[in-house]
Amino acid sequence: MGRSTEKVKLMRSILGYGESKLANILHMRQCARLRKEVQFFSIHPGLVATGIGEDVRDRIGRSGPFLNFLTYRALRWIFRTPFEGAQTSIYCAASPKCENPKLSGNYFTNCAVSQIKIPNKSEEDLLELQETLWSLSEEYTSSTLPCINNKKQ
């Protein structure tokens, strides 16, 4: 396998992760718009030493062992423990501050609201993107969110 193929595999993996993270954030934002009686949060735990991704060497070819060593051995000190990584999730689930309906749909890092940044995209662009993603998700899964109009069934 050539170097350019390895680079393409690595870039696809990185882009795929970023796109899936954005999709999760947009889904939570849309859930918050549709279900006001429930709090929805997107959470970034930071770099957590869980072992997830240690198989990268097998997925990206010759560069894999070096990247695996760099990420999981040499830079281990920048990773959080699982306990530390869980703190933002615990905060959103248990903090009285997160009961504020205005916080629903937000993205949290380090136990605080954080803004997502997409170059050349306005808040209106993100709203359109989340509505489109939601519609496509309903179409592809043949499902809808129950009580869509906040009415109890």
Side-chain angles (χ1 to χ4, degrees), residues 84-105:
E84 292 167 334
Q87 295 311 297
T88 300
S89 295
I90 294 168
Y91 174 80
C92 288
S95 173
K97 293 179 182 177
C98 288
E99 292 175 9
N100 181 345
K102 292 179 181 178
L103 292 179
S104 188

Side-chain angles (χ1 to χ4, degrees), residues 67-82:
L67 288 174
N68 189 62
F69 170 79
L70 183 65
T71 304
Y72 294 102
R73 303 294 182 265
L75 299 176
R76 191 104 176 134
W77 58 273
I78 66 172
F79 283 72
R80 295 174 180 189
T81 66

Side-chain angles (χ1 to χ4, degrees), residues 7 13 33-35 45 48-49 76-77 82 96 109 111-112 120-121 133 142:
K7 287 179 183 177
S13 179
R33 287 185 67 227
L34 297 175
R35 296 290 300 267
V48 180
R76 191 104 176 134
W77 58 273
T109 59
C111 299
N120 304 317
K121 295 288 182 194
L133 177 62
S142 299

Side-chain angles (χ1 to χ4, degrees), residues 8-9 18 27 36 39 46 49 94 97 107 116:
V8 167
K9 285 176 106 176
H27 269 114
K36 305 273 188 223
Q39 295 291 93
K97 293 179 182 177
Y107 177 63
I116 59 170

